[in-house]
Amino acid sequence: MSLAQGAPLLSRLVSSSVAIAGQAGHLIREIMKKGDLGIVEKESVRDLQTEADRAAQRCIISSLNKCFPKITIIGEEGEEETKVASGSIFDPSTTSLVDVTCPAHLSSMAEEEVVVWVDPLDGTAEYTQAFECSKNGHQGVCKALGVVCSSLLDHVTVLIGIASGGKAIGGVIHQPYYNYQNPGSELGRTIWGIVGGEVGGMKILPPPEGKLIVTTTRSHSSSTVNDAISAVSPDEVLRVGGAGHKVMLLLEGKAHLYVFASPGCKKWDTCAPQAILEAAGGILTDIQGNAIPYDASAPHRNSTGVLASAAGQKHGVYLEQIPQHVKDNLKA
């Protein structure tokens, strides 16, 4: 089923991205099932790429390019992975597409004005750790850290962020392993949102009152990160993988604040989560309170960190609590 060509571009792009992200999630699950992740190191041993990353990116970029040939797409895995491979194009019209309403002020965009930021597999470290632990009789993170390795699959997401005029305006987060705790149930969930419009795919829940729960990095901690967290005096800290998963915790009411005072994440990590969070009434800025730019020429790295708050939280108050030396350590 296809959306009417008369529908606004953003409605068609978000709707198609929901379907394409779901197909990418299917590829991610199938590659893990086959038992060979094809792992390679990128910048370091903590920065990995798997065949699931590569296949998901080929699917997303080639499929979006086929449907929307004039948009600009920037993917985490580099230009080599944007090349069309046989069988990588997925036609979203073969599925039941969601109906996405576009706010009036975004209804007249042209394809040339759109930049799409793609993280085909956010949480690659957790994906590989869950795979290796399971393959080795649960002698990995299960034994070393006391973490049930299958729970790391919660951290894995597919992110498709849509920007125009340098601002995040729409996003899709797909969770390939959502519902894994229920054997026999259908796996996967997709959430989407448009800033100034709606959020679909889930019910937004408020975080608990009377306490402050902060989520932050699981594997990229530092004294600067810890100083920022300590400054807001949290009652509980959730150290998890994946920017998409961290923002999902805000949307699900499991955390109030996402604090990451580090230059460790990129535009493809934050564009989709920011758009959905803002559509839900939350806020995402850098650690100094500045907007993160998403135009095609913007540096890929978010050098000045990330601070995100759930709907109803006092984002400005938390910004003021971040120590000046932390802000000074993070320069654009």
Side-chain angles (χ1 to χ4, degrees):
M1 181 184 72
S2 61
L3 289 176
Q5 285 302 307
L9 169 64
L10 188 56
S11 294
R12 292 184 283 116
L13 181 52
V14 171
S15 184
S16 296
S17 295
V18 167
I20 292 167
Q23 176 64 14
H26 170 74
L27 294 174
I28 288 167
R29 293 190 298 269
E30 287 301 303
I31 288 168
M32 181 174 278
K33 282 182 185 178
K34 290 178 181 177
D36 182 6
L37 299 191
I39 299 171
V40 297
E41 292 180 14
K42 295 195 291 185
E43 295 180 4
S44 71
V45 294
R46 295 196 302 178
D47 187 13
L48 304 177
Q49 182 195 85
T50 70
E51 178 55 28
D53 295 82
R54 297 186 288 270
Q57 177 151 310
R58 285 193 294 266
C59 171
I60 294 167
I61 293 184
S62 61
S63 302
L64 285 176
N65 271 329
K66 180 72 172 179
C67 297
F68 307 97
K70 296 179 182 179
I71 64 175
T72 298
I73 306 176
I74 302 172
E76 177 180 11
E77 307 310 334
E79 292 184 5
E80 185 65 25
E81 298 306 325
T82 70
K83 294 181 179 178
V84 177
S86 176
S88 64
I89 297 177
F90 174 73
D91 182 358
S93 68
T94 60
T95 66
S96 180
L97 295 175
V98 297
D99 185 15
V100 178
T101 301
C102 180
H105 71 285
L106 296 173
S107 63
S108 59
M109 282 191 311
E111 286 188 26
E112 294 88 343
E113 301 174 61
V114 173
V115 180
V116 175
W117 294 87
V118 174
D119 190 338
L121 200 170
D122 189 35
T124 299
E126 287 69 30
Y127 178 76
T128 58
Q129 287 169 12
F131 171 79
E132 295 292 344
C133 185
S134 176
K135 186 176 72 171
N136 296 323
H138 300 281
Q139 296 301 301
V141 292
C142 285
K143 183 176 181 179
L145 302 178
V147 174
V148 178
C149 64
S150 59
S151 68
L152 296 178
L153 298 176
D154 280 328
H155 304 206
V156 176
T157 59
V158 176
L159 306 177
I160 303 177
I162 302 165
S164 183
K167 298 180 179 179
I169 59 170
V172 172
I173 298 176
H174 176 71
Q175 299 169 291
Y177 292 98
Y178 180 80
N179 222 15
Y180 72 88
Q181 306 95 327
N182 302 307
S185 300
E186 183 178 357
L187 290 177
R189 176 175 72 164
T190 308
I191 297 89
W192 66 94
I194 294 179
V195 178
E198 62 183 342
V199 175
M202 68 173 293
K203 181 179 180 181
I204 307 299
L205 298 174
E209 297 182 3
K211 64 188 301 187
L212 176 62
I213 304 172
V214 166
T215 184
T216 191
T217 180
R218 173 175 173 263
S219 56
H220 295 85
S221 194
S222 68
S223 60
T224 302
V225 169
N226 292 332
D227 286 351
I229 294 169
S230 297
V232 300
S233 302
D235 297 285
E236 184 178 354
V237 178
L238 305 176
R239 297 184 182 275
V240 303
H245 179 50
K246 294 179 185 71
V247 170
M248 284 302 307
L249 294 178
L250 302 183
L251 296 169
E252 293 174 332
K254 296 176 181 177
H256 303 74
L257 201 63
Y258 164 23
V259 180
F260 188 47
S262 168
C265 71
K266 311 285 180 59
K267 299 291 187 295
W268 43 72
D269 295 311
T270 54
C271 186
Q274 177 173 345
I276 297 173
L277 181 64
E278 292 187 354
I283 299 173
L284 189 150
T285 66
D286 73 5
I287 208 72
Q288 302 178 26
N290 299 316
I292 295 175
Y294 292 104
D295 51 276
S297 61
H300 293 173
R301 187 177 297 276
N302 291 327
S303 300
T304 47
V306 174
L307 184 72
S309 55
Q313 303 305 302
K314 297 179 180 179
H315 192 84
V317 172
Y318 294 124
L319 279 170
E320 292 177 358
Q321 293 174 349
I322 302 297
Q324 190 59 47
H325 77 270
V326 169
K327 296 177 180 178
D328 290 342
N329 282 343
L330 298 173
K331 300 294 185 181

